[in-house]
Amino acid sequence: ITASVRLVHLVDASARKELMIIYAEDITDAQLTAADIKKGAKGYDRWKAIESRLIRAAEANVAVACC
C-alpha cells in the first residue's frame, strides 16, 4: 500500500498559479490496507501518526531547484 501527500505552493498573491508536488511512499510496513484506515476501521486510530510522518518526510526529502 502507498500513501501520498500533496504539497502546494501558491506562486503569486492572486493564487491563480501554483506548484504542486505529489509525494508518495510505500507504507506496507504499517501492515494496514486502505480499508483499514477508513474512518471507523481497525487501523483508523493509527492513520494520524502515519499521515504526520509522511508530511514530515515529504518536507524533508523534496527539494526544488530553479533555473
Side-chain angles (χ1 to χ4, degrees):
I1 184 172
T2 60
S4 61
V5 62
R6 183 179 63 136
L7 306 174
V8 177
H9 173 75
L10 299 176
V11 178
D12 60 14
S14 72
R16 294 186 58 156
K17 295 180 183 178
E18 67 183 23
L19 170 64
M20 182 187 320
I21 297 171
I22 299 173
Y23 178 86
E25 278 191 8
D26 179 356
I27 61 166
T28 304
D29 60 330
Q31 298 179 347
L32 295 170
T33 67
D36 291 339
I37 60 175
K38 289 184 179 180
K39 190 171 186 174
K42 69 177 185 174
Y44 181 72
D45 59 332
R46 293 176 50 202
W47 173 244
K48 283 294 182 189
I50 293 168
E51 179 184 45
S52 293
R53 187 196 58 74
L54 183 65
I55 291 169
R56 286 192 311 273
E59 291 172 340
N61 294 316
V62 173
V64 177
C66 179
C67 317

Short mmCIF file of all heavy atoms in Angstrom, two decimals:
data_model
loop_
_atom_site.label_atom_id
_atom_site.label_comp_id
_atom_site.label_asym_id
_atom_site.label_seq_id
_atom_site.Cartn_x
_atom_site.Cartn_y
_atom_site.Cartn_z
N ILE A 1 0.86 -1.18 0.00
CA ILE A 1 0.00 0.00 0.00
C ILE A 1 0.90 1.24 0.00
O ILE A 1 1.96 1.25 0.61
CB ILE A 1 -0.97 0.00 1.21
CG1 ILE A 1 -1.92 1.17 1.14
CG2 ILE A 1 -0.20 0.00 2.49
CD1 ILE A 1 -3.03 1.15 2.17
N THR A 2 0.47 2.24 -0.70
CA THR A 2 1.19 3.51 -0.71
C THR A 2 0.29 4.60 -0.14
O THR A 2 -0.93 4.48 -0.15
CB THR A 2 1.63 3.93 -2.13
OG1 THR A 2 0.48 4.08 -2.94
CG2 THR A 2 2.58 2.93 -2.73
N ALA A 3 0.93 5.62 0.36
CA ALA A 3 0.21 6.81 0.83
C ALA A 3 0.87 8.01 0.17
O ALA A 3 2.08 8.00 -0.08
CB ALA A 3 0.26 6.91 2.34
N SER A 4 0.09 9.02 -0.09
CA SER A 4 0.65 10.20 -0.74
C SER A 4 0.17 11.47 -0.06
O SER A 4 -0.85 11.48 0.63
CB SER A 4 0.29 10.23 -2.22
OG SER A 4 -1.11 10.29 -2.39
N VAL A 5 0.95 12.51 -0.25
CA VAL A 5 0.61 13.82 0.26
C VAL A 5 0.82 14.81 -0.87
O VAL A 5 1.73 14.65 -1.68
CB VAL A 5 1.44 14.18 1.52
CG1 VAL A 5 2.90 14.26 1.23
CG2 VAL A 5 0.96 15.47 2.15
N ARG A 6 -0.01 15.81 -0.92
CA ARG A 6 0.07 16.83 -1.97
C ARG A 6 0.63 18.10 -1.34
O ARG A 6 0.06 18.65 -0.40
CB ARG A 6 -1.31 17.08 -2.55
CG ARG A 6 -1.36 18.06 -3.68
CD ARG A 6 -2.77 18.19 -4.18
NE ARG A 6 -3.62 18.71 -3.12
CZ ARG A 6 -4.53 19.64 -3.28
NH1 ARG A 6 -4.77 20.15 -4.47
NH2 ARG A 6 -5.25 20.07 -2.28
N LEU A 7 1.76 18.57 -1.85
CA LEU A 7 2.36 19.82 -1.39
C LEU A 7 2.06 20.89 -2.42
O LEU A 7 2.32 20.70 -3.60
CB LEU A 7 3.88 19.65 -1.24
CG LEU A 7 4.36 18.49 -0.38
CD1 LEU A 7 5.86 18.36 -0.45
CD2 LEU A 7 3.91 18.66 1.06
N VAL A 8 1.51 22.00 -1.98
CA VAL A 8 1.13 23.07 -2.91
C VAL A 8 1.77 24.37 -2.47
O VAL A 8 1.73 24.74 -1.29
CB VAL A 8 -0.41 23.24 -2.95
CG1 VAL A 8 -0.79 24.40 -3.84
CG2 VAL A 8 -1.08 21.96 -3.41
N HIS A 9 2.38 25.05 -3.42
CA HIS A 9 2.95 26.38 -3.19
C HIS A 9 2.26 27.34 -4.15
O HIS A 9 2.29 27.14 -5.36
CB HIS A 9 4.46 26.38 -3.44
CG HIS A 9 5.06 27.76 -3.38
ND1 HIS A 9 5.26 28.41 -2.19
CD2 HIS A 9 5.49 28.58 -4.36
CE1 HIS A 9 5.79 29.60 -2.45
NE2 HIS A 9 5.94 29.73 -3.75
N LEU A 10 1.62 28.37 -3.60
CA LEU A 10 0.99 29.38 -4.44
C LEU A 10 2.06 30.36 -4.87
O LEU A 10 2.75 30.96 -4.04
CB LEU A 10 -0.14 30.08 -3.70
CG LEU A 10 -1.28 29.16 -3.27
CD1 LEU A 10 -2.31 29.91 -2.45
CD2 LEU A 10 -1.92 28.49 -4.47
N VAL A 11 2.23 30.52 -6.17
CA VAL A 11 3.34 31.27 -6.74
C VAL A 11 3.17 32.78 -6.58
O VAL A 11 4.13 33.51 -6.37
CB VAL A 11 3.54 30.90 -8.23
CG1 VAL A 11 4.64 31.70 -8.86
CG2 VAL A 11 3.83 29.41 -8.35
N ASP A 12 1.93 33.25 -6.65
CA ASP A 12 1.71 34.69 -6.54
C ASP A 12 0.48 34.98 -5.68
O ASP A 12 -0.27 34.09 -5.31
CB ASP A 12 1.59 35.34 -7.92
CG ASP A 12 0.44 34.78 -8.74
OD1 ASP A 12 -0.43 34.08 -8.20
OD2 ASP A 12 0.40 35.04 -9.96
N ALA A 13 0.30 36.24 -5.37
CA ALA A 13 -0.79 36.64 -4.48
C ALA A 13 -2.18 36.38 -5.06
O ALA A 13 -3.15 36.24 -4.32
CB ALA A 13 -0.65 38.12 -4.13
N SER A 14 -2.29 36.31 -6.36
CA SER A 14 -3.60 36.07 -6.97
C SER A 14 -4.07 34.62 -6.77
O SER A 14 -5.23 34.32 -6.98
CB SER A 14 -3.56 36.37 -8.47
OG SER A 14 -2.82 35.36 -9.16
N ALA A 15 -3.17 33.74 -6.36
CA ALA A 15 -3.46 32.32 -6.13
C ALA A 15 -3.96 31.62 -7.39
O ALA A 15 -4.67 30.63 -7.34
CB ALA A 15 -4.45 32.14 -4.98
N ARG A 16 -3.59 32.17 -8.54
CA ARG A 16 -4.00 31.56 -9.81
C ARG A 16 -2.92 30.66 -10.39
O ARG A 16 -3.17 29.94 -11.35
CB ARG A 16 -4.38 32.66 -10.80
CG ARG A 16 -5.62 33.42 -10.34
CD ARG A 16 -6.06 34.36 -11.37
NE ARG A 16 -6.33 33.61 -12.59
CZ ARG A 16 -7.12 34.00 -13.54
NH1 ARG A 16 -7.76 35.13 -13.42
NH2 ARG A 16 -7.29 33.29 -14.63
N LYS A 17 -1.74 30.73 -9.83
CA LYS A 17 -0.64 29.87 -10.28
C LYS A 17 -0.12 29.11 -9.07
O LYS A 17 0.01 29.67 -7.98
CB LYS A 17 0.49 30.70 -10.90
CG LYS A 17 0.09 31.42 -12.15
CD LYS A 17 1.26 32.22 -12.70
CE LYS A 17 0.82 33.00 -13.93
NZ LYS A 17 1.93 33.82 -14.44
N GLU A 18 0.16 27.85 -9.29
CA GLU A 18 0.65 27.04 -8.18
C GLU A 18 1.65 26.01 -8.66
O GLU A 18 1.65 25.62 -9.83
CB GLU A 18 -0.49 26.35 -7.45
CG GLU A 18 -1.20 25.29 -8.27
CD GLU A 18 -2.39 24.66 -7.56
OE1 GLU A 18 -2.95 25.29 -6.64
OE2 GLU A 18 -2.75 23.55 -7.91
N LEU A 19 2.50 25.61 -7.75
CA LEU A 19 3.40 24.49 -7.97
C LEU A 19 2.90 23.38 -7.07
O LEU A 19 2.76 23.57 -5.86
CB LEU A 19 4.84 24.87 -7.60
CG LEU A 19 5.84 23.72 -7.56
CD1 LEU A 19 6.01 23.12 -8.95
CD2 LEU A 19 7.16 24.18 -7.00
N MET A 20 2.56 22.24 -7.65
CA MET A 20 2.06 21.11 -6.88
C MET A 20 3.01 19.94 -7.03
O MET A 20 3.40 19.58 -8.14
CB MET A 20 0.67 20.70 -7.34
CG MET A 20 0.10 19.55 -6.52
SD MET A 20 -1.46 18.85 -7.11
CE MET A 20 -2.38 20.25 -7.62
N ILE A 21 3.38 19.36 -5.90
CA ILE A 21 4.21 18.17 -5.89
C ILE A 21 3.45 17.10 -5.12
O ILE A 21 2.96 17.35 -4.02
CB ILE A 21 5.57 18.44 -5.22
CG1 ILE A 21 6.33 19.49 -6.03
CG2 ILE A 21 6.38 17.16 -5.07
CD1 ILE A 21 7.57 20.00 -5.38
N ILE A 22 3.36 15.93 -5.72
CA ILE A 22 2.71 14.81 -5.04
C ILE A 22 3.80 13.84 -4.62
O ILE A 22 4.56 13.34 -5.45
CB ILE A 22 1.67 14.14 -5.95
CG1 ILE A 22 0.59 15.16 -6.30
CG2 ILE A 22 1.08 12.91 -5.25
CD1 ILE A 22 -0.40 14.69 -7.32
N TYR A 23 3.90 13.62 -3.32
CA TYR A 23 4.94 12.78 -2.73
C TYR A 23 4.27 11.50 -2.25
O TYR A 23 3.26 11.56 -1.54
CB TYR A 23 5.59 13.53 -1.57
CG TYR A 23 6.64 12.74 -0.83
CD1 TYR A 23 7.96 12.73 -1.27
CD2 TYR A 23 6.33 12.03 0.32
CE1 TYR A 23 8.92 12.02 -0.59
CE2 TYR A 23 7.29 11.32 1.01
CZ TYR A 23 8.59 11.33 0.55
OH TYR A 23 9.55 10.63 1.21
N ALA A 24 4.82 10.36 -2.62
CA ALA A 24 4.22 9.08 -2.21
C ALA A 24 5.30 8.17 -1.63
O ALA A 24 6.46 8.24 -2.02
CB ALA A 24 3.56 8.40 -3.39
N GLU A 25 4.89 7.35 -0.70
CA GLU A 25 5.77 6.37 -0.08
C GLU A 25 5.03 5.05 0.07
O GLU A 25 3.82 5.02 0.24
CB GLU A 25 6.18 6.82 1.34
CG GLU A 25 7.30 7.77 1.40
CD GLU A 25 7.80 7.96 2.84
OE1 GLU A 25 7.37 7.23 3.75
OE2 GLU A 25 8.63 8.86 3.02
N ASP A 26 5.80 4.00 0.08
CA ASP A 26 5.29 2.67 0.38
C ASP A 26 5.12 2.58 1.90
O ASP A 26 6.08 2.81 2.64
CB ASP A 26 6.29 1.62 -0.11
CG ASP A 26 5.86 0.19 0.17
OD1 ASP A 26 4.82 -0.02 0.82
OD2 ASP A 26 6.58 -0.72 -0.26
N ILE A 27 3.94 2.29 2.36
CA ILE A 27 3.72 2.16 3.80
C ILE A 27 3.31 0.72 4.16
O ILE A 27 2.63 0.48 5.16
CB ILE A 27 2.70 3.18 4.33
CG1 ILE A 27 1.33 3.01 3.68
CG2 ILE A 27 3.21 4.60 4.17
CD1 ILE A 27 0.21 3.74 4.39
N THR A 28 3.79 -0.21 3.38
CA THR A 28 3.49 -1.62 3.62
C THR A 28 3.90 -2.05 5.02
O THR A 28 3.23 -2.87 5.65
CB THR A 28 4.20 -2.51 2.57
OG1 THR A 28 3.80 -2.08 1.28
CG2 THR A 28 3.86 -3.97 2.74
N ASP A 29 5.01 -1.47 5.53
CA ASP A 29 5.48 -1.84 6.86
C ASP A 29 4.47 -1.52 7.97
O ASP A 29 4.54 -2.08 9.05
CB ASP A 29 6.82 -1.18 7.16
CG ASP A 29 6.77 0.34 7.12
OD1 ASP A 29 5.96 0.90 6.36
OD2 ASP A 29 7.55 0.97 7.85
N ALA A 30 3.51 -0.66 7.69
CA ALA A 30 2.46 -0.36 8.67
C ALA A 30 1.47 -1.52 8.80
O ALA A 30 0.68 -1.56 9.73
CB ALA A 30 1.72 0.91 8.29
N GLN A 31 1.52 -2.43 7.87
CA GLN A 31 0.66 -3.62 7.85
C GLN A 31 -0.82 -3.26 7.92
O GLN A 31 -1.60 -3.86 8.65
CB GLN A 31 1.05 -4.59 8.95
CG GLN A 31 2.47 -5.10 8.80
CD GLN A 31 2.87 -6.05 9.89
OE1 GLN A 31 2.21 -6.18 10.91
NE2 GLN A 31 3.97 -6.76 9.66
N LEU A 32 -1.18 -2.26 7.13
CA LEU A 32 -2.58 -1.84 7.03
C LEU A 32 -2.99 -1.83 5.56
O LEU A 32 -2.17 -1.60 4.69
CB LEU A 32 -2.75 -0.43 7.59
CG LEU A 32 -2.50 -0.24 9.08
CD1 LEU A 32 -2.46 1.24 9.42
CD2 LEU A 32 -3.57 -0.94 9.89
N THR A 33 -4.23 -2.06 5.32
CA THR A 33 -4.77 -1.92 3.97
C THR A 33 -5.49 -0.58 3.88
O THR A 33 -5.73 0.08 4.90
CB THR A 33 -5.78 -3.04 3.66
OG1 THR A 33 -6.92 -2.87 4.50
CG2 THR A 33 -5.17 -4.43 3.86
N ALA A 34 -5.85 -0.20 2.68
CA ALA A 34 -6.60 1.04 2.51
C ALA A 34 -7.91 0.99 3.30
O ALA A 34 -8.33 1.98 3.89
CB ALA A 34 -6.86 1.29 1.03
N ALA A 35 -8.53 -0.17 3.31
CA ALA A 35 -9.79 -0.32 4.05
C ALA A 35 -9.57 -0.17 5.56
O ALA A 35 -10.46 0.32 6.28
CB ALA A 35 -10.42 -1.68 3.75
N ASP A 36 -8.39 -0.56 6.06
CA ASP A 36 -8.10 -0.48 7.49
C ASP A 36 -8.03 0.95 8.02
O ASP A 36 -8.22 1.17 9.21
CB ASP A 36 -6.76 -1.16 7.81
CG ASP A 36 -6.79 -2.66 7.63
OD1 ASP A 36 -7.88 -3.25 7.65
OD2 ASP A 36 -5.69 -3.26 7.47
N ILE A 37 -7.72 1.91 7.16
CA ILE A 37 -7.54 3.28 7.65
C ILE A 37 -8.74 4.19 7.39
O ILE A 37 -8.69 5.38 7.67
CB ILE A 37 -6.25 3.91 7.09
CG1 ILE A 37 -6.26 3.97 5.57
CG2 ILE A 37 -5.03 3.19 7.61
CD1 ILE A 37 -5.09 4.70 4.96
N LYS A 38 -9.81 3.60 6.90
CA LYS A 38 -11.05 4.39 6.74
C LYS A 38 -11.64 4.67 8.12
O LYS A 38 -11.45 3.90 9.06
CB LYS A 38 -12.05 3.63 5.88
CG LYS A 38 -11.65 3.57 4.43
CD LYS A 38 -12.71 2.91 3.59
CE LYS A 38 -12.25 2.92 2.14
NZ LYS A 38 -13.21 2.31 1.27
N LYS A 39 -12.36 5.77 8.22
CA LYS A 39 -12.96 6.16 9.49
C LYS A 39 -13.79 5.02 10.06
O LYS A 39 -14.64 4.45 9.38
CB LYS A 39 -13.83 7.40 9.29
CG LYS A 39 -14.28 8.01 10.58
CD LYS A 39 -14.94 9.35 10.36
CE LYS A 39 -15.24 9.97 11.70
NZ LYS A 39 -15.74 11.32 11.56
N GLY A 40 -13.51 4.68 11.31
CA GLY A 40 -14.23 3.62 11.99
C GLY A 40 -13.60 2.24 11.84
O GLY A 40 -13.98 1.31 12.53
N ALA A 41 -12.62 2.10 10.95
CA ALA A 41 -11.98 0.80 10.74
C ALA A 41 -10.90 0.56 11.79
O ALA A 41 -10.50 1.47 12.52
CB ALA A 41 -11.39 0.72 9.34
N LYS A 42 -10.37 -0.67 11.82
CA LYS A 42 -9.45 -1.07 12.90
C LYS A 42 -8.14 -0.27 12.94
O LYS A 42 -7.57 -0.10 14.00
CB LYS A 42 -9.13 -2.55 12.79
CG LYS A 42 -8.28 -2.93 11.57
CD LYS A 42 -7.92 -4.39 11.56
CE LYS A 42 -6.99 -4.71 10.40
NZ LYS A 42 -6.53 -6.06 10.43
N GLY A 43 -7.68 0.25 11.83
CA GLY A 43 -6.41 0.97 11.81
C GLY A 43 -6.56 2.48 11.75
O GLY A 43 -5.57 3.21 11.68
N TYR A 44 -7.78 2.97 11.82
CA TYR A 44 -8.02 4.41 11.68
C TYR A 44 -7.28 5.22 12.73
O TYR A 44 -6.75 6.29 12.43
CB TYR A 44 -9.52 4.71 11.73
CG TYR A 44 -9.83 6.17 11.56
CD1 TYR A 44 -9.69 6.78 10.31
CD2 TYR A 44 -10.24 6.96 12.63
CE1 TYR A 44 -9.98 8.12 10.14
CE2 TYR A 44 -10.52 8.30 12.47
CZ TYR A 44 -10.39 8.88 11.22
OH TYR A 44 -10.65 10.21 11.06
N ASP A 45 -7.20 4.73 13.95
CA ASP A 45 -6.53 5.47 15.01
C ASP A 45 -5.03 5.61 14.77
O ASP A 45 -4.39 6.51 15.31
CB ASP A 45 -6.78 4.81 16.37
CG ASP A 45 -6.31 3.37 16.45
OD1 ASP A 45 -6.28 2.70 15.40
OD2 ASP A 45 -5.99 2.92 17.56
N ARG A 46 -4.45 4.78 13.93
CA ARG A 46 -3.02 4.87 13.60
C ARG A 46 -2.76 5.81 12.43
O ARG A 46 -1.63 6.21 12.19
CB ARG A 46 -2.48 3.47 13.26
CG ARG A 46 -2.48 2.55 14.47
CD ARG A 46 -2.04 1.14 14.14
NE ARG A 46 -0.79 1.11 13.39
CZ ARG A 46 -0.41 0.09 12.63
NH1 ARG A 46 -1.19 -0.96 12.52
NH2 ARG A 46 0.72 0.12 11.97
N TRP A 47 -3.79 6.17 11.68
CA TRP A 47 -3.61 6.94 10.47
C TRP A 47 -3.00 8.31 10.72
O TRP A 47 -2.13 8.77 9.98
CB TRP A 47 -4.92 7.09 9.69
CG TRP A 47 -4.75 8.02 8.53
CD1 TRP A 47 -5.37 9.21 8.34
CD2 TRP A 47 -3.86 7.86 7.43
NE1 TRP A 47 -4.94 9.80 7.17
CE2 TRP A 47 -4.00 8.98 6.60
CE3 TRP A 47 -2.95 6.87 7.05
CZ2 TRP A 47 -3.29 9.16 5.43
CZ3 TRP A 47 -2.24 7.03 5.88
CH2 TRP A 47 -2.40 8.16 5.08
N LYS A 48 -3.41 9.04 11.77
CA LYS A 48 -2.89 10.38 12.03
C LYS A 48 -1.38 10.36 12.20
O LYS A 48 -0.68 11.24 11.70
CB LYS A 48 -3.55 11.01 13.25
CG LYS A 48 -4.94 11.53 12.97
CD LYS A 48 -4.87 12.69 11.99
CE LYS A 48 -6.24 13.26 11.74
NZ LYS A 48 -6.27 14.21 10.67
N ALA A 49 -0.83 9.37 12.89
CA ALA A 49 0.62 9.27 13.08
C ALA A 49 1.31 8.98 11.75
O ALA A 49 2.37 9.54 11.45
CB ALA A 49 0.95 8.19 14.10
N ILE A 50 0.73 8.11 10.95
CA ILE A 50 1.30 7.78 9.64
C ILE A 50 1.27 9.03 8.75
O ILE A 50 2.25 9.35 8.08
CB ILE A 50 0.54 6.61 8.99
CG1 ILE A 50 0.76 5.33 9.79
CG2 ILE A 50 0.95 6.43 7.53
CD1 ILE A 50 -0.17 4.19 9.40
N GLU A 51 0.15 9.72 8.75
CA GLU A 51 0.00 10.93 7.95
C GLU A 51 1.01 12.00 8.35
O GLU A 51 1.66 12.62 7.50
CB GLU A 51 -1.42 11.47 8.11
CG GLU A 51 -1.70 12.74 7.34
CD GLU A 51 -3.09 13.26 7.61
OE1 GLU A 51 -3.50 13.30 8.79
OE2 GLU A 51 -3.76 13.62 6.64
N SER A 52 1.20 12.21 9.65
CA SER A 52 2.16 13.20 10.13
C SER A 52 3.58 12.85 9.70
O SER A 52 4.34 13.72 9.28
CB SER A 52 2.09 13.31 11.65
OG SER A 52 0.86 13.83 12.05
N ARG A 53 3.94 11.57 9.82
CA ARG A 53 5.26 11.15 9.42
C ARG A 53 5.47 11.34 7.92
O ARG A 53 6.52 11.78 7.47
CB ARG A 53 5.51 9.68 9.78
CG ARG A 53 6.96 9.24 9.53
CD ARG A 53 7.12 7.74 9.52
NE ARG A 53 6.30 7.05 8.54
CZ ARG A 53 6.52 7.04 7.23
NH1 ARG A 53 7.52 7.70 6.71
NH2 ARG A 53 5.73 6.38 6.42
N LEU A 54 4.45 11.05 7.14
CA LEU A 54 4.52 11.21 5.69
C LEU A 54 4.73 12.68 5.30
O LEU A 54 5.56 13.00 4.45
CB LEU A 54 3.26 10.66 5.03
CG LEU A 54 3.21 10.68 3.52
CD1 LEU A 54 4.26 9.75 2.93
CD2 LEU A 54 1.83 10.29 3.03
N ILE A 55 4.01 13.57 5.95
CA ILE A 55 4.17 15.01 5.67
C ILE A 55 5.57 15.47 6.04
O ILE A 55 6.22 16.18 5.27
CB ILE A 55 3.09 15.82 6.40
CG1 ILE A 55 1.71 15.54 5.79
CG2 ILE A 55 3.40 17.32 6.34
CD1 ILE A 55 0.54 16.07 6.58
N ARG A 56 6.07 15.06 7.20
CA ARG A 56 7.44 15.43 7.60
C ARG A 56 8.46 14.89 6.61
O ARG A 56 9.42 15.58 6.24
CB ARG A 56 7.74 14.93 9.00
CG ARG A 56 7.07 15.71 10.11
CD ARG A 56 7.61 15.38 11.49
NE ARG A 56 7.69 13.96 11.76
CZ ARG A 56 6.70 13.22 12.26
NH1 ARG A 56 5.55 13.77 12.53
NH2 ARG A 56 6.87 11.93 12.50
N ALA A 57 8.29 13.66 6.15
CA ALA A 57 9.22 13.06 5.19
C ALA A 57 9.18 13.81 3.86
O ALA A 57 10.22 14.06 3.25
CB ALA A 57 8.88 11.58 4.97
N ALA A 58 7.99 14.18 3.42
CA ALA A 58 7.87 14.93 2.16
C ALA A 58 8.58 16.26 2.27
O ALA A 58 9.33 16.65 1.38
CB ALA A 58 6.40 15.13 1.82
N GLU A 59 8.37 16.97 3.36
CA GLU A 59 9.01 18.27 3.55
C GLU A 59 10.53 18.14 3.62
O GLU A 59 11.25 19.00 3.15
CB GLU A 59 8.45 18.96 4.79
CG GLU A 59 7.01 19.39 4.63
CD GLU A 59 6.37 19.89 5.90
OE1 GLU A 59 6.88 19.59 7.00
OE2 GLU A 59 5.35 20.58 5.79
N ALA A 60 11.01 17.05 4.20
CA ALA A 60 12.45 16.85 4.35
C ALA A 60 13.11 16.34 3.08
O ALA A 60 14.28 16.65 2.82
CB ALA A 60 12.71 15.86 5.49
N ASN A 61 12.39 15.59 2.26
CA ASN A 61 13.01 14.92 1.12
C ASN A 61 12.80 15.58 -0.23
O ASN A 61 13.45 15.21 -1.20
CB ASN A 61 12.51 13.47 1.04
CG ASN A 61 12.99 12.64 2.21
OD1 ASN A 61 14.14 12.73 2.60
ND2 ASN A 61 12.09 11.86 2.77
N VAL A 62 11.88 16.53 -0.32
CA VAL A 62 11.60 17.17 -1.59
C VAL A 62 12.38 18.48 -1.68
O VAL A 62 12.32 19.31 -0.78
CB VAL A 62 10.09 17.45 -1.77
CG1 VAL A 62 9.84 18.27 -3.01
CG2 VAL A 62 9.32 16.14 -1.83
N ALA A 63 13.13 18.61 -2.75
CA ALA A 63 13.87 19.85 -3.00
C ALA A 63 13.57 20.29 -4.43
O ALA A 63 13.51 19.47 -5.34
CB ALA A 63 15.36 19.64 -2.83
N VAL A 64 13.35 21.56 -4.61
CA VAL A 64 13.07 22.10 -5.93
C VAL A 64 14.18 23.08 -6.28
O VAL A 64 14.46 24.01 -5.52
CB VAL A 64 11.71 22.82 -5.96
CG1 VAL A 64 11.45 23.44 -7.31
CG2 VAL A 64 10.60 21.85 -5.58
N ALA A 65 14.81 22.84 -7.41
CA ALA A 65 15.85 23.74 -7.88
C ALA A 65 15.31 24.51 -9.09
O ALA A 65 14.61 23.95 -9.93
CB ALA A 65 17.08 22.95 -8.27
N CYS A 66 15.63 25.72 -9.13
CA CYS A 66 15.13 26.55 -10.23
C CYS A 66 16.30 27.10 -11.04
O CYS A 66 17.33 27.45 -10.50
CB CYS A 66 14.29 27.69 -9.68
SG CYS A 66 13.66 28.77 -10.98
N CYS A 67 16.09 27.16 -12.28
CA CYS A 67 16.95 27.79 -13.29
C CYS A 67 18.40 27.75 -12.90
O CYS A 67 19.16 28.56 -12.78
CB CYS A 67 16.47 29.19 -13.58
SG CYS A 67 14.67 29.25 -13.75
#
